[in-house]
Amino acid sequence: MLDLSLTRFSQEYHINYIHLSRSFKAQVGMSFREYLNKIRMKKAHAFILGGLDEKQTARKVGFHDEYYFASVYHNYLRSLDGVKTPDKEDRDETD
């Protein structure tokens, strides 16, 4: 699994970690972790809607801890107003 972290980037490119972190946030408008999780959650959402279970999805999008992934993923779903989730679709069909 590829290590995607500011620590790794700062060491590899000999840039101060704090400078890199602040520069990233100033340019992108969110922290590196927030940005990375946002991308991971978009991919995860597509995998789960495609039928992949959460444990497999967690590994595929770069999470080593499936319970942490579930927490981040469910927070992501709550942030999507009006987007159908697998749970919402099941409830909608029974209404």
Side-chain angles (χ1 to χ4, degrees):
M1 177 87 36
L2 183 61
D3 176 23
L4 295 175
S5 69
L6 279 186
T7 303
R8 185 183 137 254
F9 290 132
S10 68
Q11 290 170 347
E12 188 171 328
Y13 296 103
H14 308 288
I15 301 171
N16 180 280
Y17 170 82
I18 293 171
H19 173 72
L20 184 59
S21 177
R22 288 180 180 161
S23 295
F24 187 92
K25 189 167 186 169
Q27 291 294 313
V28 179
M30 64 182 76
S31 73
F32 180 76
R33 181 173 303 281
E34 290 170 325
Y35 180 78
L36 183 59
N37 280 344
K38 183 178 178 180
I39 292 169
R40 286 176 168 169
M41 292 303 102
K42 286 181 180 182
K43 287 295 262 184
H45 192 61
F47 286 139
I48 289 174
L49 289 178
L52 203 61
D53 68 37
E54 280 190 11
K55 185 175 183 176
Q56 293 171 316
T57 299
R59 300 246 185 266
K60 249 181 135 65
V61 297
F63 282 82
H64 302 289
D65 182 342
E66 65 191 78
Y67 299 106
Y68 177 63
F69 166 77
S71 173
V72 173
Y73 180 67
H74 290 285
N75 285 335
Y76 170 77
L77 291 180
R78 281 193 285 279
S79 74
L80 300 177
D81 189 36
V83 172
K84 292 239 182 213
T85 65
D87 292 341
K88 287 182 183 177
E89 288 172 359
D90 291 341
R91 281 187 297 234
D92 288 347
E93 290 173 7
T94 59
D95 289 344

